[in-house]
Structures are given as structure tokens and as C-alpha cells.
Amino acid sequence: MEEETDTRKINNSFLRDHNYATEADIISTVEFNPSGELLATGDKGGRVVVFQREQGTKSEPQKRGEYNVYSTFQSHDPEFDYLKSLEVEEKINKIRWLPQQNSAYFLLSTNDKTVKLWKIRERDRRPEGYNLKDEDGRIRHPSTITSLRVPVLQNSDLMVEATARRVFSNAHTYHINSISVNSDLQTYISTDDLRVNLWNLEITDQSFNIVDIKPCNMEDLTEVITAAEFHPQQCNTLAYSSSRGSVRLCDMRKQALCDTHCKFFDEPEDPSTRSFFSEIISSISDIKFSHSGRFLMTRDYLTVKVWDLNMETRPVQTYQVHDYLRGKLCSLYENDCIFDKFECVWNGSDSVIMTGSYNNFFRMFDRNTKKDVTLEASRENSKPRAILQPRKVCVGGKRRKDEVTVDSLDFSKKILHSTWHPQENIIAVAASNNLYIFQDKVT
């Protein structure tokens, strides 16, 4: 997986697995930090697991690509909204890292209603010699204190602490589907089905509503917001996608409420291909700005599209992820798979894009060579350091030995969440309760 995406050189370096997995163990989000040294996952049980990359040595350079557990903490707990008589799940919907400013790390995590800012830091010293507490932490009676001591810091075993520094709540009526940190490093947005709120990272009791598409009469509602993201360089620019397959680009300098967009990206549908499922499969499940800020990538049910921010009329590139499913939309509708929300990611140089599919397949598209490949993340063919072999789906005719038929695809196995190392060719994909990390072959 070099710049030309030679997928024959991709090998598996790590596998996280639970032998007795429960619904709470299913991974719901995965994200590298800006340096790529840390990788965070969130699951349906409200837990965040942070992995740290091994440094490696001259004698064992292959360990450089391995990630081991660094910290685990409970980010969210189940709650109950007494005003609406609704349970609020603890499931982590999104995780976003903040750029590192000092020795500590900061990340935002959110469930359906509440965003939290977490601080993760290492501690290898502890204070000892308190006057009012004994060595076990119990409060001493004043009559037993006969002299004053100066507390000192003593060396101790290395500990990794995760503490919630901010809790941003009570701002969303509907479920939060995305969060995005601004390039000014002072603000971020949280998005639900009908609104986008702008927060200051230092202020928890106040947010500004910058997008509101809720109509006066809910019967007039024709679309909902599915995702939103800040531009990577321009702190005043953000984009949000809709269930109608369109993307709106907003400039916060223009007005405080960004209900009117400055650019509108939408590809007209071909009337000859319209069907009962057209509106469902056109809904955008994820959007990502390129690292350069020039392009915007969108993922709908069947395709990935790359838009040039300077051209609104049509995408510059369209990639078919699993077009062979077009004839199975009826059964996918019946088992609710048609509503699955797949994510998409860029590589560090914006030359390759990746997104997930069914049967634990994930797809890669090289924008320069126009080549694409299908790979599989599974325990059967992904032993540690095993080289991944491309997979093919047989659409019609005689099936070859190494091909998989459309009817044999397992729709309960799906790659919804994935992330790409910001500088290197290392990817992480989540398949149910398993986390797979793949990298270039270490020579």
C-alpha cells in the first residue's frame, strides 16, 4: 500500500478480539490522533479504548507498526430523559482528537446527547507526606498531628489517567450524528438531525445554533442533516450533508445563522434509473474534506463521490463501491441493511480513498492510477503479519475459485468504521467487536 496502493504488500499487524463478545463490545467509531501515534475506539458500551504505537528497535523494526492498549475508560453511561421518557444510550457515536499542545492528549467523545472533553495523561510520580492524611489516605485526627511536614513527590509506577475536563450537554433535541473540531482549536461543532451547534471548548453551558433546518410544521420536513465537518484550514467554512444526497457549504463570516449556504453540491438523478429506493440510497452517510482542503468526499449507499469545491454541478470522480447490490435492494430494505451508514477516509496525501462494504470487505480507490481493490478483514485470512490477498465478487457467469458470489455475501458482517494514519500507510478498520490494523509490509 504505497503511494500507488500496491495492496499485495498490506499485512495485518494487530487484532483485537473478544471471545465472548456482547452487544456492548461492538465498535462504533475509530479514529487516529493527528500524529498517528494513538488510535482510539469507542463501542456501544460507552467505553473508549486508546491504543499507542510501539516505538520499535533496530533489532525488531517490525514492532514499530504495532499498537497496544494504552488506556481504557468509561466515557458515557446510560441515562434516562425524564422529560421525554426516553433512554439515552451510552454508545459512542464519534471520537475526535484535538491537536496535542503539551504532554497530555485531549479528545472529544459523544453519545446521542452529550459531548465530553477528555484529558489523557501519564503520571509516574505521586505526592506523599500529607499532614492531614495518613499513608492510606484516611483523614488524621487533629490531636494526632504533632508536627508539620512538607509533602514531597515520590517516583511511582507509570499510570495513564483519563479525566473528563468538560461536559457539553442539554443542547440537542435529536441524536448527535457527528462532531468536528475547528482549525482555530478553540471551537467545535456538534450536529444532530436538524441542527448544527457551535461550541467553545472552554464554555459548557452555552452554544450557538448556526444551522437550523427544522420547519415550523414538522409535516413539511423533507430532509435531515446526516453529517457535518469543518474545513481543515479555513476556520469560517463548514459543510453539512443531507438525506437527499446534497451537500451545503457555509461561510460563518456571511451571517451568524448559516441557513443560507454559499455553495450547493448536488448531482441530478438520472430519471431512467429512478426507483422506490432512490431516495434511500442517495442519502449521504459521511463527508470528509481532503487534507489539502481542495476536495470534499461523500459516501452514499452505493458510491463514493469526490467533489471539487470550485465546481458544484457534478462530482469530479465517482467510485462504485458495491454496485452488484443494486439488484438486491429489495431484500436489503427488508433486513434494514439499506440504512447502514458507511464511513469514508482519505490517505495522508489525498491520493487514495477507502470505505467499507459487506462480508467484512473494504474497498480502496487510487485516484491517480484509477485502480481499485477489494480486501477482507477477517480472522480466517488475517493472521498476524499475513499478506492480504485481493478479493473479487462474482456478479454473473461462471465463478472462479477465488471469487465470492453476491448471494453468498454475509450482510451481518460489515465494515462501517475505518480510519487512515495521517502520514503513513497504516489503516484501522472495525468489524463488529474486532479491530484490524493493516500496514505496509515491513521489509
Side-chain angles (χ1 to χ4, degrees), residues 62-208:
Q62 70 275 9
K63 286 189 175 293
R64 172 63 180 152
E66 293 184 359
Y67 285 78
N68 293 315
V69 175
Y70 180 64
S71 176
T72 303
F73 57 92
Q74 188 72 28
S75 174
H76 288 72
D77 293 303
E79 300 176 10
F80 190 80
D81 189 333
Y82 293 97
L83 293 178
K84 297 184 178 181
S85 296
L86 292 174
E87 291 184 2
V88 180
E89 290 184 341
E90 64 270 36
K91 171 191 169 188
I92 306 298
N93 292 338
K94 293 290 179 183
I95 289 175
R96 290 292 181 265
W97 290 92
L98 276 66
Q100 189 176 6
Q101 304 293 320
N102 49 42
S103 60
Y105 301 95
F106 290 87
L107 64 81
L108 290 169
S109 63
T110 182
N111 65 350
D112 288 339
K113 297 292 183 180
T114 304
V115 183
K116 294 184 180 181
L117 175 65
W118 289 90
K119 178 181 180 181
I120 304 172
R121 64 166 184 168
E122 296 180 355
R123 192 178 72 176
D124 59 0
R125 307 181 76 184
R126 62 180 182 184
E128 292 183 355
Y130 287 110
N131 290 289
L132 301 179
K133 290 190 292 186
D134 60 21
E135 299 303 328
D136 295 327
R138 293 189 294 265
I139 301 298
R140 299 172 61 185
H141 193 275
S143 61
T144 63
I145 302 175
T146 58
S147 61
L148 293 179
R149 297 183 294 177
V150 177
V152 295
L153 289 174
Q154 298 286 355
N155 293 331
S156 64
D157 294 335
L158 180 65
M159 297 176 57
V160 180
E161 295 181 329
T163 55
R165 298 302 302 271
R166 305 278 189 278
V167 178
F168 307 89
S169 57
N170 303 321
H172 286 277
T173 305
Y174 306 96
H175 291 175
I176 299 173
N177 54 47
S178 59
I179 52 178
S180 179
V181 180
N182 199 347
S183 59
D184 63 9
L185 306 183
Q186 297 179 2
T187 57
Y188 77 93
I189 54 173
S190 57
T191 308
D192 64 26
D193 292 342
L194 299 180
R195 296 186 177 94
V196 178
N197 291 335
L198 177 68
W199 299 82
N200 188 296
L201 287 166
E202 300 295 329
I203 302 173
T204 61
D205 59 352
Q206 185 181 34
S207 65
F208 297 93

